[in-house]
Amino acid sequence: MTNREMMEIAMRQSAEDMGCHVEDFKADKNVVVPINLGKKARKYLKEPITCNLVSYGNNIMAASIPETMDLVSAYVDNFEFYHCFETPNMHWLNERLVEKGHKICFMAEYYLPDISRIPTLSCAYVTRVLTQEAFADSREGAVEDTIIGVGNYLTELLAKNYGYQVIHVTEAFDMEGVGAYDGSTLVGLAACSADCDDMWQIGVDVLPEYRRQGIASALTSRLTKEIINRGKVPFYCTAWSNVRSVRNAVKSGFIPAWVEMTAKPANIVDEMNL
């Protein structure tokens, strides 16, 4: 699989997520269409979605509900496309969305691996590949000492009922992982979820007392290769402000591929802030 092929697959998925065409992301002008989640959209994308703005570095591909279509079109026409994903221009959009009962909700940067620079990294601990079957087995057995939390992409993997800190893995879609062990204790985990047919998203975390030892990058880079060997495209998502996660992505062979900004009804955003 080449970098170009992975990029084409990512754009094809974004088109499915929004209801547009792959060519729209490559256009030399911005494109705005009615939003339409396809049957093969990423599984974690949940309606209602007011609008979604995506850029692969060429333009803005925006999808919107009818109520905010003119507003979104005016926004992407008023500002340089790369400024539309940041302040102060973002306030222009949000203030007008609020008047219609909506707010900007999510902002994220997505990464794809550079196939020529995925490193082979190691750490001071034993690492093991965990298959989907191993995840299921782990839910059934007791786990010693500490269980880790792995962010929003993964739901409970180990020790759901054992009184320890819970690891979060996407219960329905977790496919494969790589764990780091200090004796019998899982101290770090990179795992992937089949968020869509051709692309698997990587989430990673390491127990606080084991961080800054190269565990996260060793696990992430190895899992990246495992995913590619399965014929799938690994992708990685982080907030711009999560410098630690961005560093891990870069060290593990990932480079920025696209950005997204999503708005939702105001009551949904407000509930998230409670």
Side-chain angles (χ1 to χ4, degrees):
M1 191 180 301
T2 66
N3 289 344
R4 182 182 295 273
E5 289 170 337
M6 287 191 289
M7 184 67 76
E8 287 291 325
I9 291 171
M11 288 184 178
R12 187 171 69 218
Q13 184 59 51
S14 292
E16 184 73 16
D17 297 339
M18 302 177 74
C20 63
H21 303 288
V22 171
E23 292 72 20
D24 293 332
F25 299 104
K26 305 175 184 178
D28 57 3
K29 61 181 180 180
N30 299 322
V31 180
V32 182
V33 301
I35 193 164
N36 180 29
L37 283 181
K39 293 181 179 179
K40 296 184 178 180
R42 281 173 285 168
K43 295 179 174 67
Y44 58 83
L45 297 180
K46 303 297 182 183
E47 294 181 313
I49 298 174
T50 303
C51 62
N52 195 28
L53 280 63
V54 174
S55 179
Y56 279 82
N58 301 303
N59 66 344
I60 291 179
M61 174 62 239
S64 172
I65 60 174
E67 181 185 356
T68 57
M69 179 80 73
D70 291 343
L71 174 56
V72 171
S73 297
Y75 180 60
V76 300
D77 287 341
N78 282 348
F79 305 104
E80 287 287 345
F81 73 89
Y82 47 86
H83 288 315
C84 287
F85 296 87
E86 62 181 7
T87 57
N89 298 156
M90 185 185 70
H91 293 303
W92 187 99
L93 176 61
N94 193 62
E95 289 168 3
R96 288 157 178 79
L97 284 172
V98 168
E99 294 174 357
K100 295 179 177 291
H102 306 273
K103 290 182 179 181
I104 293 172
C105 186
F106 300 121
M107 299 173 65
E109 186 168 22
Y110 290 82
Y111 299 76
L112 293 173
D114 181 343
I115 202 72
S116 66
R117 56 183 295 270
I118 303 171
T120 300
L121 302 173
S122 60
C123 62
Y125 302 94
V126 174
T127 61
R128 294 201 296 269
V129 174
L130 303 172
T131 63
Q132 192 174 34
E133 293 75 18
F135 285 150
D137 291 343
S138 295
R139 292 192 184 98
E140 300 300 326
V143 180
E144 297 179 7
D145 299 326
T146 315
I147 305 306
I148 73 175
V150 191
N152 295 326
Y153 310 113
L154 312 170
T155 57
E156 298 175 7
L157 169 61
L158 301 170
K160 182 176 181 180
N161 300 313
Y162 304 114
Y164 301 106
Q165 181 184 355
V166 175
I167 289 184
H168 297 287
V169 271
T170 307
E171 190 167 0
F173 310 119
D174 50 308
M175 300 302 295
E176 187 173 18
V178 180
Y181 293 83
D182 185 358
S184 61
T185 301
L186 180 66
V187 300
L189 174 68
C192 58
S193 56
D195 294 331
C196 46
D197 289 351
D198 298 319
M199 302 179 70
W200 291 359
Q201 183 169 193
I202 294 176
V204 61
D205 203 1
V206 176
L207 288 177
E209 60 268 34
Y210 288 86
R211 291 173 183 168
R212 303 182 67 85
Q213 299 182 48
I215 297 174
S217 55
L219 299 178
T220 303
S221 59
R222 183 173 179 185
L223 180 58
T224 299
K225 293 179 180 180
E226 293 285 339
I227 295 171
I228 292 173
N229 288 340
R230 284 176 171 246
K232 304 296 182 179
V233 175
F235 72 106
Y236 189 105
C237 174
T238 182
W240 289 284
S241 57
N242 193 344
V243 175
R244 183 171 59 197
S245 184
V246 172
R247 286 174 176 166
N248 180 59
V250 172
K251 188 175 180 180
S252 302
F254 284 80
I255 56 176
W258 77 95
V259 294
E260 295 191 19
M261 183 169 71
T262 305
K264 284 181 171 286
N267 64 303
I268 294 177
V269 180
D270 291 342
E271 288 175 4
M272 293 180 182
N273 288 323
L274 293 178

